[in-house]
Amino acid sequence: MNIVVLVKHVPDAQLNRQLSANDNTVVRTDSILSELDEYAIEAALTLVEERGGAAAGNSVTALTMGPAGAVAAVRKALQIGAFEGVHLCDDALAGSDAAATSLALAALVRHLSPAERPVDLIITGMASTDGETSLIPAQLAARLELPQLTFAASLEVTSEDSEAGGGTRKAVIRRDGDTEAEVIEAVLPAVVSVTDQINSPRYPNFKGIMAAKKKTVTTLSLADIGVDPAHVGSAGSWTAIDSAQAQPARTAGTIIADEGNAGVLLVDFLAAQKLL
């Protein structure tokens, strides 16, 4: 099974996130692998390990796009256990919104899916921790003309016949709602996004960190995958940020001293805020 996992280099959520004053793009100086992508990596590794791992011809490739520093997300994925990594790096990608990003990623997946070894499954997190739009999985599936299974709380791949014999393989997920769960399936190849309820991601251990140093990270440009720079970046995006302002500082708030009437004052305060 040939699985690709999309990973993203995002600003650390523990730090203050900022927009560049020049073009209102996210400042990514202090960035890490998106936490939600770790669940996608774990899901992919579990599937290939169940099928005999690399020795049985299975693979997990971590893909990302972004500036030079974004390769750190791929390297973290390799430390966790991904077999190899691919980094789409091109100055023209700067400022890409979800639509432009999905266009570039779709071209990258096609480039990495030759007829003799096509990609069987594309796994993503349910969202990135910077944009939090959850748009990329659906847009990517549409561009690749593949079925999509989103917000998976569980994932398995089944086969009507033996996989070695070319049997039809299906991805089967469980999507949990507020009051009910639904089971959805799709014939592979497919795009699957997973939630943070699907598993407990493994941590990179010393052996994994050392092994990652020997794994291959391939860097590609837009020219390598046949994408016109005019179709990505700010020029190719469907949306734009016209203006932005810093988040206002938090106020000290209202302190209610209990002199026997605190309950009444609290109710009055909540009513004034239209919370009651």
Side-chain angles (χ1 to χ4, degrees), residues 179-196:
T179 59
E180 60 184 12
E182 54 186 351
V183 175
I184 313 169
E185 63 180 35
V187 174
L188 299 186
V191 177
V192 177
S193 69
V194 302
T195 72
D196 56 357

Side-chain angles (χ1 to χ4, degrees), residues 4-268:
V4 299
V5 181
L6 303 187
V7 299
K8 190 176 183 182
H9 201 226
V10 301
D12 191 336
Q14 302 301 317
L15 305 176
N16 290 327
R17 288 175 279 188
Q18 300 176 336
L19 296 179
S20 168
N22 297 326
D23 54 9
N24 290 325
T25 56
V26 178
V27 176
R28 301 182 180 277
T29 304
D30 298 306
S31 294
I32 59 174
L33 169 66
S34 179
E35 178 184 354
L36 294 174
D37 292 342
E38 295 184 20
Y39 298 91
I41 297 168
E42 180 64 33
L45 293 174
T46 299
L47 286 174
V48 299
E49 288 169 356
E50 291 173 349
R51 287 159 175 75
N58 300 288
S59 66
V60 175
T61 304
L63 310 185
T64 198
M65 62 171 270
V71 73
V74 172
R75 297 197 183 282
K76 178 66 176 295
L78 297 180
Q79 293 174 358
I80 293 173
F83 295 19
E84 59 183 322
V86 178
H87 178 201
L88 179 60
C89 184
D90 199 297
D91 291 342
L93 291 167
S96 294
D97 67 355
T101 297
S102 65
L103 185 148
L105 290 174
L108 179 59
V109 171
R110 290 192 196 98
H111 180 78
L112 299 173
S113 187
E116 63 273 15
R117 185 168 171 74
V119 171
D120 299 301
L121 191 59
I122 303 166
I123 304 180
T124 78
M126 65 181 184
S128 62
T129 54
D130 55 352
E132 297 184 357
T133 66
S134 299
L135 292 174
I136 295 298
Q139 292 188 359
L140 182 63
R143 293 188 184 280
L144 293 173
E145 298 182 340
L146 296 177
Q148 60 166 313
L149 302 173
T150 55
F151 299 104
S154 70
L155 168 63
E156 61 177 328
V157 172
T158 63
S159 180
E160 293 181 356
D161 300 300
S162 68
E163 292 186 15
T168 300
R169 292 178 297 180
K170 294 181 179 180
V172 183
I173 73 161
R174 188 190 76 248
R175 180 188 294 156
D176 294 336
D178 293 334
T179 59
E180 60 184 12
E182 54 186 351
V183 175
I184 313 169
E185 63 180 35
V187 174
L188 299 186
V191 177
V192 177
S193 69
V194 302
T195 72
D196 56 357
Q197 302 300 309
I198 192 170
N199 54 44
S200 296
R202 66 194 72 182
Y203 293 98
N205 54 30
F206 179 75
K207 181 179 179 181
I209 293 172
M210 297 305 294
K213 296 181 179 181
K214 300 179 180 179
K215 295 178 180 178
T216 302
V217 177
T218 302
T219 302
L220 298 173
S221 66
L222 291 174
D224 293 326
I225 62 174
V227 172
D228 185 341
H231 295 162
V232 295
S234 299
S237 293
W238 297 359
T239 59
I241 299 176
D242 294 327
S243 63
Q245 61 185 27
Q247 182 178 357
R250 294 185 61 180
T251 60
T254 300
I255 299 176
I256 297 177
D258 188 3
E259 298 179 355
N261 62 342
V264 174
L265 294 176
L266 179 58
V267 170
D268 290 343

